[in-house]
Coordinates of all heavy atoms in Angstrom, one line a residue:
M1 N 132.2 73.2 70.2 CA 132.6 73.3 71.6 C 133.1 71.9 72.1 O 132.5 70.9 71.9 CB 131.3 73.6 72.5 CG 130.7 75.0 72.1 SD 131.6 76.4 72.6 CE 131.2 76.5 74.3
L2 N 134.2 71.9 72.8 CA 134.7 70.7 73.3 C 135.3 70.9 74.7 O 135.8 72.0 75.0 CB 135.7 70.0 72.4 CG 136.9 70.7 71.9 CD1 138.0 70.6 72.9 CD2 137.4 70.0 70.6
C3 N 135.3 69.9 75.5 CA 135.8 69.9 76.8 C 137.4 69.7 76.8 O 137.8 68.7 76.3 CB 135.2 68.9 77.7 SG 136.0 68.7 79.3
P4 N 138.1 70.7 77.3 CA 139.6 70.6 77.2 C 140.1 69.4 78.0 O 141.2 68.9 77.7 CB 140.1 71.9 77.8 CG 138.9 72.5 78.6 CD 137.7 71.9 77.9
L5 N 139.4 69.0 79.1 CA 139.9 67.9 79.9 C 139.6 66.5 79.1 O 140.5 65.7 79.1 CB 139.1 67.8 81.2 CG 140.0 68.4 82.4 CD1 140.3 69.9 82.2 CD2 139.3 68.2 83.7
C6 N 138.4 66.4 78.6 CA 138.1 65.2 77.8 C 139.1 65.0 76.6 O 139.3 63.9 76.2 CB 136.7 65.2 77.3 SG 135.4 65.0 78.6
N7 N 139.5 66.1 76.1 CA 140.4 66.1 74.9 C 141.9 66.2 75.2 O 142.7 66.3 74.3 CB 139.9 67.1 73.9 CG 138.5 66.8 73.3 OD1 138.4 66.1 72.4 ND2 137.5 67.3 74.0
G8 N 142.2 66.2 76.4 CA 143.6 66.2 76.8 C 144.3 67.5 76.6 O 145.6 67.5 76.5
L9 N 143.6 68.6 76.4 CA 144.2 69.9 76.2 C 144.6 70.6 77.4 O 145.4 71.5 77.4 CB 143.2 70.7 75.3 CG 142.8 70.2 74.0 CD1 141.7 71.0 73.4 CD2 144.0 70.0 73.1
D10 N 143.9 70.2 78.5 CA 144.1 70.9 79.8 C 144.0 70.0 80.9 O 143.4 68.9 80.8 CB 143.1 72.1 79.9 CG 143.5 73.1 80.9 OD1 144.7 73.0 81.4 OD2 142.7 74.0 81.2
R11 N 144.5 70.3 82.1 CA 144.3 69.5 83.2 C 144.1 70.4 84.4 O 144.6 71.6 84.4 CB 145.6 68.7 83.5 CG 146.0 67.8 82.4 CD 146.7 66.6 82.8 NE 145.9 65.8 83.7 CZ 146.4 64.7 84.4 NH1 147.7 64.4 84.3 NH2 145.6 64.0 85.2
V12 N 143.3 70.0 85.4 CA 143.2 70.7 86.6 C 143.6 69.8 87.8 O 143.5 68.6 87.7 CB 141.7 71.2 86.8 CG1 141.4 72.3 85.8 CG2 140.7 70.1 86.7
F13 N 144.0 70.4 88.8 CA 144.5 69.7 90.0 C 143.9 70.2 91.3 O 144.5 70.9 92.1 CB 146.0 69.7 90.1 CG 146.7 69.2 88.9 CD1 147.2 70.1 87.9 CD2 146.9 67.8 88.7 CE1 147.8 69.6 86.7 CE2 147.5 67.4 87.6 CZ 148.0 68.2 86.6
P14 N 142.6 69.9 91.5 CA 141.9 70.3 92.7 C 142.5 69.6 93.9 O 142.9 68.4 93.7 CB 140.5 70.0 92.5 CG 140.4 69.0 91.4 CD 141.7 69.1 90.6
L15 N 142.5 70.2 95.0 CA 143.1 69.5 96.2 C 142.0 69.0 97.1 O 140.9 69.6 97.2 CB 143.9 70.5 97.0 CG 145.2 71.0 96.4 CD1 146.0 71.9 97.4 CD2 146.1 69.8 96.1
C16 N 142.2 67.9 97.7 CA 141.3 67.3 98.7 C 141.3 68.2 99.9 O 142.3 68.5 100.5 CB 141.8 65.9 99.1 SG 140.8 65.1 100.3
P17 N 140.0 68.5 100.4 CA 139.9 69.4 101.6 C 140.3 68.6 102.9 O 140.6 69.3 103.9 CB 138.4 69.8 101.6 CG 137.8 68.7 100.8 CD 138.8 68.2 99.8
N18 N 140.3 67.3 102.8 CA 140.6 66.5 104.0 C 142.1 66.3 104.2 O 142.7 66.5 105.2 CB 140.0 65.2 103.9 CG 138.4 65.3 103.8 OD1 137.8 66.1 104.5 ND2 137.8 64.4 103.0
C19 N 142.8 65.9 103.1 CA 144.2 65.6 103.3 C 145.1 66.3 102.3 O 146.3 66.0 102.2 CB 144.4 64.1 103.2 SG 143.5 63.3 101.9
E20 N 144.6 67.3 101.5 CA 145.4 68.1 100.6 C 146.2 67.3 99.6 O 147.2 67.7 99.1 CB 146.3 69.0 101.4 CG 145.5 70.0 102.3 CD 146.4 71.1 102.9 OE1 147.6 70.9 102.9 OE2 145.8 72.1 103.3
E21 N 145.6 66.1 99.3 CA 146.1 65.3 98.2 C 145.5 65.8 96.9 O 144.4 66.4 96.9 CB 145.6 63.9 98.5 CG 146.4 62.8 97.8 CD 147.8 62.5 98.3 OE1 148.1 63.0 99.5 OE2 148.6 61.9 97.6
I22 N 146.2 65.7 95.8 CA 145.7 66.1 94.5 C 144.6 65.1 94.1 O 144.9 63.9 94.0 CB 146.8 66.3 93.5 CG1 147.7 67.4 93.8 CG2 146.2 66.5 92.1 CD1 148.9 67.5 92.9
L23 N 143.4 65.6 93.8 CA 142.4 64.7 93.4 C 142.6 64.2 91.9 O 143.1 64.9 91.1 CB 141.0 65.4 93.4 CG 140.6 66.0 94.7 CD1 139.2 66.7 94.6 CD2 140.6 65.0 95.8
E24 N 142.3 62.9 91.7 CA 142.4 62.3 90.4 C 141.2 62.5 89.6 O 140.1 62.4 90.0 CB 142.7 60.8 90.5 CG 144.1 60.6 91.2 CD 144.3 59.1 91.4 OE1 143.3 58.3 91.3 OE2 145.5 58.7 91.6
D25 N 141.4 62.9 88.3 CA 140.3 63.0 87.4 C 139.8 61.6 87.0 O 140.4 60.9 86.3 CB 140.8 63.8 86.1 CG 139.6 64.1 85.1 OD1 138.5 63.7 85.4 OD2 139.9 64.7 84.1
A26 N 138.6 61.3 87.4 CA 138.0 60.0 87.1 C 137.2 60.1 85.8 O 136.6 59.1 85.4 CB 137.1 59.6 88.3
G27 N 137.2 61.2 85.2 CA 136.6 61.4 83.9 C 135.2 62.0 83.9 O 134.7 62.4 85.0
M28 N 134.5 62.0 82.8 CA 133.2 62.6 82.7 C 132.3 61.7 83.6 O 132.4 60.5 83.7 CB 132.7 62.5 81.3 CG 133.0 63.6 80.4 SD 132.3 63.4 78.8 CE 130.6 63.9 79.1
L29 N 131.4 62.4 84.3 CA 130.5 61.8 85.2 C 129.7 60.7 84.6 O 129.5 59.6 85.1 CB 129.6 62.8 85.8 CG 129.1 62.6 87.2 CD1 130.2 62.3 88.2 CD2 128.3 63.8 87.7
E30 N 129.2 60.9 83.4 CA 128.4 60.0 82.7 C 129.2 58.7 82.4 O 128.7 57.6 82.7 CB 128.0 60.5 81.3 CG 126.9 61.6 81.4 CD 127.5 63.0 81.5 OE1 128.6 63.1 81.9 OE2 126.7 63.9 81.2
N31 N 130.4 58.8 82.0 CA 131.2 57.6 81.7 C 131.5 56.8 82.9 O 131.7 55.6 82.9 CB 132.5 58.1 81.0 CG 132.3 58.7 79.7 OD1 131.2 58.6 79.1 ND2 133.3 59.4 79.2
F32 N 131.7 57.6 84.0 CA 132.1 56.9 85.3 C 131.0 56.1 85.9 O 131.3 55.0 86.3 CB 132.6 58.0 86.2 CG 133.3 57.5 87.4 CD1 134.5 57.0 87.3 CD2 132.7 57.5 88.7 CE1 135.2 56.5 88.4 CE2 133.3 57.0 89.8 CZ 134.6 56.5 89.7
F33 N 129.8 56.6 85.9 CA 128.8 55.9 86.6 C 127.8 55.1 85.7 O 127.4 54.0 86.2 CB 127.9 56.9 87.4 CG 128.5 57.4 88.6 CD1 128.8 58.7 88.9 CD2 128.8 56.5 89.6 CE1 129.3 59.2 90.1 CE2 129.4 56.9 90.8 CZ 129.6 58.2 91.0
A34 N 127.6 55.5 84.6 CA 126.5 54.9 83.8 C 126.5 53.4 83.7 O 125.5 52.8 83.8 CB 126.4 55.6 82.4
P35 N 127.7 52.8 83.4 CA 127.7 51.4 83.2 C 127.4 50.6 84.5 O 127.0 49.4 84.5 CB 129.1 51.0 82.8 CG 129.8 52.3 82.5 CD 129.0 53.4 83.2
Y36 N 127.6 51.2 85.7 CA 127.6 50.5 86.9 C 126.3 50.7 87.7 O 125.8 49.8 88.4 CB 128.7 50.9 87.8 CG 130.1 50.9 87.2 CD1 130.7 52.0 86.9 CD2 130.6 49.6 86.9 CE1 132.0 52.0 86.2 CE2 131.9 49.6 86.3 CZ 132.5 50.7 85.9 OH 133.7 50.7 85.3
N37 N 125.7 51.8 87.5 CA 124.5 52.1 88.4 C 123.5 52.9 87.7 O 123.5 54.1 87.5 CB 125.1 52.9 89.6 CG 124.0 53.0 90.7 OD1 122.8 53.0 90.4 ND2 124.5 53.1 91.9
P38 N 122.4 52.2 87.2 CA 121.4 52.8 86.4 C 120.6 53.9 87.2 O 120.1 54.9 86.6 CB 120.4 51.7 86.1 CG 121.0 50.4 86.6 CD 122.2 50.7 87.4
Y39 N 120.5 53.7 88.5 CA 119.8 54.7 89.4 C 120.6 56.0 89.4 O 120.0 57.0 89.2 CB 119.7 54.1 90.8 CG 119.0 55.1 91.7 CD1 117.6 55.2 91.7 CD2 119.7 55.9 92.6 CE1 116.9 56.1 92.5 CE2 119.1 56.7 93.5 CZ 117.7 56.9 93.4 OH 117.0 57.8 94.3
L40 N 121.9 55.9 89.6 CA 122.7 57.1 89.6 C 122.8 57.7 88.2 O 122.8 58.9 88.0 CB 124.2 56.7 90.0 CG 124.6 57.1 91.4 CD1 126.0 56.6 91.7 CD2 124.5 58.6 91.7
A41 N 122.7 56.9 87.2 CA 122.8 57.4 85.8 C 121.6 58.3 85.5 O 121.7 59.3 84.9 CB 122.8 56.2 84.8
Q42 N 120.4 57.9 86.1 CA 119.2 58.7 86.0 C 119.4 60.0 86.6 O 119.0 61.1 86.1 CB 118.0 57.9 86.6 CG 116.7 58.7 86.5 CD 116.3 59.0 85.1 OE1 116.5 58.2 84.2 NE2 115.6 60.1 84.9
E43 N 120.0 60.0 87.8 CA 120.2 61.2 88.5 C 121.2 62.2 87.8 O 120.9 63.4 87.7 CB 120.9 60.9 89.9 CG 121.1 62.1 90.8 CD 122.0 61.8 91.9 OE1 121.8 60.8 92.6 OE2 123.0 62.5 92.1
I44 N 122.2 61.6 87.1 CA 123.1 62.3 86.4 C 122.5 62.9 85.1 O 122.7 64.1 84.7 CB 124.3 61.5 86.0 CG1 125.1 61.1 87.2 CG2 125.2 62.1 84.9 CD1 126.0 59.9 87.1
L45 N 121.6 62.1 84.5 CA 120.9 62.6 83.3 C 120.1 63.8 83.7 O 120.1 64.8 82.9 CB 120.0 61.5 82.8 CG 119.4 61.6 81.4 CD1 120.6 61.4 80.4 CD2 118.4 60.6 81.1
E46 N 119.4 63.8 84.8 CA 118.6 64.9 85.2 C 119.5 66.1 85.5 O 119.2 67.2 85.1 CB 117.8 64.6 86.5 CG 116.6 63.7 86.1 CD 115.9 63.1 87.3 OE1 116.2 63.6 88.5 OE2 115.1 62.2 87.2
A47 N 120.6 65.8 86.1 CA 121.5 66.9 86.5 C 122.1 67.6 85.2 O 122.2 68.8 85.1 CB 122.7 66.4 87.3
S48 N 122.4 66.7 84.2 CA 123.0 67.3 83.0 C 121.9 68.0 82.1 O 122.2 68.9 81.3 CB 123.7 66.2 82.2 OG 122.9 65.2 81.8
N49 N 120.7 67.6 82.3 CA 119.6 68.3 81.6 C 119.5 69.7 82.2 O 119.2 70.7 81.4 CB 118.3 67.6 81.7 CG 118.1 66.4 80.8 OD1 118.9 66.3 79.9 ND2 117.2 65.5 81.1
N50 N 119.7 69.8 83.4 CA 119.6 71.2 84.1 C 120.9 71.9 83.9 O 120.9 73.1 84.0 CB 119.3 71.0 85.6 CG 118.0 70.4 85.8 OD1 117.1 70.6 85.0 ND2 117.8 69.7 86.9
A51 N 122.0 71.2 83.6 CA 123.3 71.9 83.6 C 123.4 72.7 82.3 O 122.7 72.5 81.3 CB 124.4 70.8 83.6
N52 N 124.3 73.6 82.4 CA 124.7 74.5 81.3 C 125.4 73.6 80.3 O 126.3 72.8 80.6 CB 125.7 75.5 81.8 CG 126.1 76.5 80.8 OD1 126.0 76.3 79.6 ND2 126.4 77.7 81.3
H53 N 125.0 73.6 79.0 CA 125.5 72.8 78.0 C 126.9 73.2 77.6 O 127.6 72.6 76.8 CB 124.6 72.7 76.8 CG 123.4 71.9 77.1 ND1 123.4 70.5 77.3 CD2 122.1 72.2 77.4 CE1 122.2 70.1 77.6 NE2 121.4 71.1 77.6
D54 N 127.4 74.4 78.1 CA 128.7 74.8 77.8 C 129.7 74.2 78.8 O 130.9 74.5 78.8 CB 128.8 76.3 78.0 CG 128.0 77.0 76.9 OD1 127.6 76.4 75.9 OD2 127.7 78.2 77.0
E55 N 129.2 73.3 79.6 CA 130.1 72.7 80.6 C 130.1 71.2 80.6 O 129.1 70.6 80.2 CB 129.6 73.2 82.1 CG 129.9 74.7 82.3 CD 129.3 75.1 83.6 OE1 128.4 74.4 84.2 OE2 129.7 76.2 84.1
C56 N 131.2 70.6 81.0 CA 131.3 69.2 81.1 C 131.6 68.9 82.5 O 132.5 69.4 83.1 CB 132.5 68.8 80.2 SG 132.8 67.0 80.1
I57 N 130.7 68.0 83.1 CA 130.9 67.7 84.5 C 131.9 66.5 84.7 O 131.7 65.4 84.1 CB 129.5 67.3 85.1 CG1 128.5 68.3 84.8 CG2 129.7 67.1 86.6 CD1 128.7 69.7 85.4
H58 N 132.9 66.8 85.4 CA 133.9 65.7 85.7 C 133.9 65.4 87.2 O 133.5 66.2 88.0 CB 135.3 66.3 85.4 CG 135.7 66.2 83.9 ND1 136.6 65.3 83.4 CD2 135.2 66.9 82.9 CE1 136.6 65.5 82.1 NE2 135.8 66.5 81.8
L59 N 134.2 64.1 87.4 CA 134.3 63.7 88.8 C 135.8 63.5 89.2 O 136.6 62.9 88.4 CB 133.6 62.3 88.9 CG 133.6 61.8 90.3 CD1 132.5 62.5 91.1 CD2 133.4 60.3 90.3
F60 N 136.1 64.1 90.3 CA 137.5 64.0 90.8 C 137.4 63.3 92.1 O 136.5 63.5 92.9 CB 138.1 65.4 91.0 CG 138.4 66.1 89.7 CD1 137.4 66.8 89.1 CD2 139.7 66.0 89.2 CE1 137.7 67.4 87.9 CE2 140.0 66.7 88.0 CZ 139.0 67.4 87.3
S61 N 138.4 62.3 92.3 CA 138.3 61.6 93.6 C 139.7 61.6 94.2 O 140.7 61.6 93.5 CB 137.8 60.2 93.4 OG 138.6 59.5 92.6
C62 N 139.7 61.6 95.6 CA 141.0 61.5 96.3 C 141.5 60.1 96.4 O 140.7 59.2 96.9 CB 140.8 62.1 97.7 SG 142.2 62.0 98.7
P63 N 142.7 59.8 96.0 CA 143.2 58.5 96.1 C 143.5 58.0 97.5 O 143.6 56.8 97.8 CB 144.5 58.5 95.3 CG 144.9 60.0 95.3 CD 143.7 60.8 95.4
K64 N 143.5 59.0 98.4 CA 143.9 58.7 99.8 C 142.7 58.4 100.7 O 142.6 57.4 101.4 CB 144.7 59.9 100.4 CG 145.8 59.5 101.3 CD 146.6 60.7 101.6 CE 147.7 60.4 102.6 NZ 148.5 61.6 102.8
C65 N 141.7 59.3 100.6 CA 140.6 59.1 101.6 C 139.2 58.9 100.9 O 138.2 58.6 101.5 CB 140.4 60.4 102.4 SG 139.8 61.8 101.6
G66 N 139.2 58.9 99.5 CA 138.0 58.6 98.8 C 137.0 59.7 98.6 O 136.0 59.5 98.1
Y67 N 137.4 60.9 99.1 CA 136.6 62.1 98.9 C 136.4 62.3 97.4 O 137.3 62.1 96.6 CB 137.3 63.3 99.5 CG 136.7 64.6 99.2 CD1 135.6 65.1 100.0 CD2 137.1 65.3 98.1 CE1 135.1 66.4 99.7 CE2 136.5 66.6 97.8 CZ 135.5 67.1 98.6 OH 135.0 68.3 98.2
D68 N 135.1 62.6 97.0 CA 135.0 63.0 95.6 C 134.2 64.3 95.4 O 133.5 64.7 96.3 CB 134.4 61.8 94.8 CG 133.1 61.4 95.2 OD1 132.2 62.2 95.4 OD2 132.9 60.2 95.5
Q69 N 134.4 64.8 94.3 CA 133.9 66.2 94.0 C 133.6 66.3 92.5 O 134.3 65.7 91.7 CB 135.1 67.2 94.3 CG 134.7 68.6 94.1 CD 135.9 69.5 94.5 OE1 137.0 69.1 94.6 NE2 135.6 70.8 94.7
R70 N 132.5 66.9 92.2 CA 132.1 67.2 90.8 C 132.6 68.6 90.5 O 132.5 69.5 91.2 CB 130.6 67.2 90.6 CG 130.0 65.8 90.9 CD 128.5 66.0 90.9 NE 127.9 64.8 91.5 CZ 126.6 64.5 91.4 NH1 125.8 65.3 90.7 NH2 126.1 63.5 92.0
L71 N 133.2 68.7 89.3 CA 133.7 70.0 88.8 C 133.1 70.2 87.4 O 133.2 69.4 86.6 CB 135.2 70.0 88.7 CG 136.0 70.6 89.9 CD1 137.4 70.7 89.4 CD2 135.5 71.9 90.3
A72 N 132.5 71.4 87.2 CA 132.0 71.8 85.9 C 133.1 72.4 85.1 O 133.6 73.5 85.5 CB 130.8 72.7 86.1
I73 N 133.5 71.8 84.0 CA 134.6 72.3 83.2 C 134.0 73.1 82.0 O 133.2 72.5 81.3 CB 135.5 71.1 82.7 CG1 136.0 70.3 83.8 CG2 136.6 71.7 81.9 CD1 136.8 71.0 84.9
K74 N 134.4 74.3 81.9 CA 133.9 75.1 80.8 C 134.5 74.6 79.4 O 135.7 74.4 79.3 CB 134.4 76.5 80.9 CG 133.5 77.4 81.8 CD 132.8 78.5 80.9 CE 131.8 79.3 81.7 NZ 130.5 78.6 81.7
K75 N 133.5 74.3 78.5 CA 134.0 73.9 77.2 C 134.5 75.1 76.4 O 134.2 76.2 76.7 CB 132.8 73.3 76.4 CG 132.4 72.0 77.0 CD 131.3 71.3 76.2 CE 130.8 70.1 76.9 NZ 129.6 69.5 76.1
I76 N 135.4 74.8 75.5 CA 136.0 75.8 74.7 C 135.7 75.7 73.2 O 135.3 74.7 72.7 CB 137.6 75.8 74.8 CG1 138.1 74.4 74.5 CG2 138.0 76.2 76.2 CD1 139.6 74.3 74.3
D77 N 135.7 76.8 72.6 CA 135.5 76.9 71.1 C 136.7 76.3 70.4 O 137.9 76.5 70.8 CB 135.3 78.3 70.7 CG 133.8 78.7 70.8 OD1 133.0 77.9 70.4 OD2 133.5 79.8 71.2
T78 N 136.5 75.7 69.3 CA 137.7 75.2 68.5 C 137.8 76.0 67.2 O 136.9 76.6 66.7 CB 137.5 73.7 68.1 OG1 136.2 73.5 67.6 CG2 137.7 72.9 69.4
Ligands
ZN101 ZN1 135.0 66.7 79.9
ZN102 ZN1 141.6 63.0 100.7

């Protein structure tokens, strides 16, 4: 099982609810936060323990207003 976004096989373009700008994929949540904030990393760890292992959680953020959103990306079989 692999995540199509992490592996460059697919892309998604969610829109910002505030300004309808296309949100940028900031990558896997773990990669994004872990090096900077141990407290958040713990929260993410707990979240991913509860999460479906068939999914990869990505963080998308709006380049315009800073809005961010987590999206669970379904992993695919190879
Ligand atoms: Zn991924
Ligand atoms: Zn925005």
Side-chain angles (χ1 to χ4, degrees):
M1 301 290 278
L2 56 81
C3 169
L5 259 64
C6 287
N7 291 274
L9 301 174
D10 199 7
R11 302 205 63 187
V12 292
F13 301 98
L15 291 182
C16 176
N18 301 321
C19 43
E20 298 191 342
E21 201 70 20
I22 293 172
L23 302 182
E24 292 176 345
D25 184 0
M28 274 180 80
L29 209 52
E30 286 90 342
N31 295 343
F32 191 70
F33 281 121
Y36 308 110
N37 191 329
Y39 180 78
L40 259 175
Q42 181 59 34
E43 183 195 308
I44 291 160
L45 197 68
E46 284 168 15
S48 61
N49 283 342
N50 294 332
N52 188 335
H53 289 287
D54 294 346
E55 291 174 342
C56 180
I57 310 294
H58 280 251
L59 184 78
F60 289 84
S61 64
C62 176
K64 216 168 176 181
C65 73
Y67 170 88
D68 60 53
Q69 181 179 19
R70 297 172 197 195
L71 263 191
I73 306 300
K74 272 248 177 276
K75 291 183 183 175
I76 53 168
D77 273 316
T78 47

